[in-house]
Amino acid sequence: MSTTEEALKERIKELTCLYEVSSIIVNVDFEQLDETFQAISKSLKKGFQFPEQTRIFIETNNYSSPALLPGSDINLNSPILIFNKPAGHIIAYLDDNKSSFLKEEKQLLDNVALKIGTLLERKEILENEVSLKRQMERADRLSILGEITAGIAHELNTPLANILGFSELLKDELSDEHEISRDVDKIIENTIFSREVVKKLMFFACEMPQEMKQVNIVPNIKSALNLLDASFKKSKIRYELNIKDEELFLKADTIQLTQIIFNLVINAIYFSPENGLVNIEVSESKDHIILKISDEGPGFPEEAMEKVFQPFFTTKPTGEGSGLGLSVVHGIVTSHKGTITAKNRKDKGAIFTVQLPKSH
Ligand SMILES: Nc1ncnc2c1ncn2[C@@H]1O[C@H](COP(=O)(O)OP(=O)(O)O)[C@@H](O)[C@H]1O
Ligand SMILES: [Mg+2]
């Protein structure tokens, strides 16, 4: 064969390979990227001048083609980039030290690396869309719940006030020894409890009046933790407060801020093992105050993750939890135009992250 003919044959092999790689990528199943990469390696090998002596090695953040034997000195390396960031590479090794790679083969490898990069970018975009959609659905559900709850709370507020008012009048009419007097006490007690529940529901639905002030929140946070000191001691839990600065200014309702801390810390204490450490971290970014509360407890099971902010969701035994704490926190954070997330920590425990805009 003439050299031109041979060169032509190589170009055709390379083009065939590129075409094959494109088809593999078009038909990709993102759940089975391993197979895609294996198919690409196989097809790429055939595109080289000496397929028998060429070994292809693909490595990305989540995938590494199997069995990389010690590489020969003759190799080509094309980086894989995802959104311009290095995310792996393709390496071709030539196990025949009498030959060398063609410059077109480097181009072929670069081309395939580019295609893989684009494929992985598409995967990332898709994943972001899915998680965004899920977040929006969750936000929707919570806001619908918020509206329903606000309605119920509002409807119950007046009759409860009436029950309380009339029972108190009735109690005044009765002498303390009267046996009905004790029954009336029970009515009053239970009504006050119900009113507390309604109040919490109103917090969740952001129906409570707010008093927004520009304040240094550090003393607030410290005094809230001082009040919780006894609870920590009683449960034999340690805590650590990390504050980046002695002055952190925020526009907030200070009573509601205390509520956020109380609810999150009380949960952290409840779910901590004896001698566990609860960490409270307060820091700031340019526009936000960031509050992180983490513990060393069991964290959340997968199926609870979505529900923890819903009113009445609780995993505590009956009588111990109302399932309203986190929904109140969520309501307060939302009314401050902030965000809150619940996650499991890498090793053990839960972490809540609250971000509040410094001014709004
Ligand atoms: N620090 C935590 N670790 C593990 N699970 C938690 C934690 N905080 C909250 N949860 C989960 O979220 C649920 C709801 O919490 P919350 O709204 O405060 O209601 P309650 O404390 O009355 O159960 C809890 O029952 C629990 O399942
Ligand atoms: Mg709670």
Side-chain angles (χ1 to χ4, degrees):
M1 259 196 290
S2 74
T3 40
T4 336
E5 216 173 301
E6 261 177 35
L8 203 60
K9 217 178 111 211
E10 283 312 310
R11 293 306 83 76
I12 291 172
K13 267 164 68 182
E14 287 154 21
L15 283 173
T16 311
C17 164
L18 267 182
Y19 174 75
E20 262 183 38
V21 170
S22 297
S23 331
I24 295 168
I25 287 181
V26 166
N27 295 316
V28 68
D29 173 358
F30 282 117
E31 300 294 309
Q32 285 174 330
L33 271 186
D34 283 15
E35 281 176 17
T36 305
F37 287 137
Q38 271 161 28
I40 291 176
S41 299
K42 224 171 112 194
S43 163
L44 202 49
K45 204 168 140 87
K46 285 187 293 178
F48 280 81
Q49 197 180 4
F50 306 110
E52 296 306 315
Q53 283 90 338
T54 305
R55 283 182 296 124
I56 304 291
F57 177 67
I58 302 181
E59 188 178 47
T60 73
N61 294 345
N62 303 314
Y63 171 82
S64 172
S65 65
L68 174 70
L69 301 166
S72 92
D73 290 342
I74 312 164
N75 60 59
L76 294 176
N77 185 331
S78 300
I80 296 173
L81 302 177
I82 302 183
F83 298 115
N84 287 328
K85 280 200 228 76
H89 44 233
I90 316 182
I91 307 175
Y93 291 104
L94 191 57
D95 287 337
D96 171 3
N97 47 24
K98 287 190 286 297
S99 339
S100 61
F101 283 115
L102 306 171
K103 81 170 188 304
E104 287 85 359
E105 289 175 338
K106 171 66 176 148
Q107 278 168 9
L108 176 68
L109 210 65
D110 282 346
N111 254 320
V112 173
L114 204 70
K115 282 184 192 294
I116 293 182
T118 317
L119 170 76
L120 295 175
E121 282 173 6
R122 243 172 64 209
K123 178 169 183 263
E124 212 163 272
I125 291 171
L126 266 173
E127 281 168 355
N128 284 343
E129 270 173 10
V130 169
S131 98
L132 197 68
K133 198 159 152 252
R134 220 177 268 146
Q135 269 174 30
M136 278 167 61
E137 280 169 3
R138 213 183 107 227
D140 266 1
R141 252 203 319 276
L142 281 173
S143 79
I144 292 168
L145 270 172
E147 274 171 39
I148 299 173
T149 321
I152 298 175
H154 197 79
E155 289 298 318
L156 288 180
N157 219 9
T158 319
L160 279 176
N162 285 339
I163 296 174
L164 193 61
F166 284 114
S167 334
E168 274 164 353
L169 282 180
L170 191 60
K171 193 175 156 56
D172 288 345
E173 296 289 310
L174 301 164
S175 66
D176 279 349
E177 302 87 67
H178 204 292
E179 61 178 279
I180 297 180
S181 179
R182 258 176 295 137
D183 297 343
V184 176
D185 279 340
K186 284 260 155 53
I187 296 177
I188 292 176
E189 221 173 85
N190 279 285
T191 315
I192 290 175
F193 175 81
S194 310
R195 216 179 42 173
E196 283 305 306
V197 173
V198 166
K199 214 169 112 230
K200 284 183 183 163
L201 289 176
M202 290 174 99
F203 263 118
F204 169 64
C206 315
E207 293 271 305
M208 290 308 268
Q210 276 181 327
E211 200 191 329
M212 294 288 195
K213 272 187 311 206
Q214 189 76 22
V215 281
N216 176 15
I217 56 165
V218 177
N220 266 297
I221 292 174
K222 286 189 174 162
S223 67
L225 286 173
N226 276 337
L227 287 173
L228 290 164
D229 221 42
S231 309
F232 275 110
K233 289 220 174 76
K234 196 169 140 238
S235 310
K236 299 201 179 67
I237 313 289
R238 298 166 297 137
Y239 73 92
E240 231 174 61
L241 174 63
N242 291 311
I243 294 194
K244 293 280 141 70
D245 201 331
E246 281 304 309
E247 288 201 337
L248 292 171
F249 280 89
L250 177 69
K251 189 166 177 205
D253 181 318
T254 47
I255 295 176
Q256 296 193 348
L257 187 70
T258 310
Q259 285 234 334
I260 296 180
I261 293 168
F262 261 61
N263 279 308
L264 293 180
V265 171
I266 288 174
N267 280 346
I269 295 177
Y270 182 93
F271 289 100
S272 284
E274 193 167 305
N275 213 21
L277 180 68
V278 171
N279 198 62
I280 302 119
E281 188 190 298
V282 195
S283 60
E284 66 179 333
S285 66
K286 190 165 147 280
D287 302 318
H288 290 88
I289 295 289
I290 302 147
L291 176 69
K292 290 189 175 171
I293 294 180
S294 59
D295 59 60
E296 297 180 335
F300 319 96
E302 194 60 43
E303 65 276 9
M305 220 67 159
E306 296 267 298
K307 302 195 188 125
V308 290
F309 296 112
Q310 290 178 4
F312 305 115
F313 173 82
T314 178
T315 54
K316 293 180 180 171
T318 334
E320 278 195 47
S322 61
L324 288 174
L326 288 181
S327 44
V328 166
V329 172
H330 188 275
I332 293 175
V333 171
T334 309
S335 70
H336 282 74
K337 308 225 165 12
T339 56
I340 179 165
T341 59
K343 290 211 169 82
N344 281 322
R345 295 166 73 197
K346 261 200 217 77
D347 27 358
K348 59 179 164 181
I351 176 159
F352 284 87
T353 307
V354 180
Q355 285 210 35
L356 298 169
K358 287 182 185 169
S359 58
H360 43 90

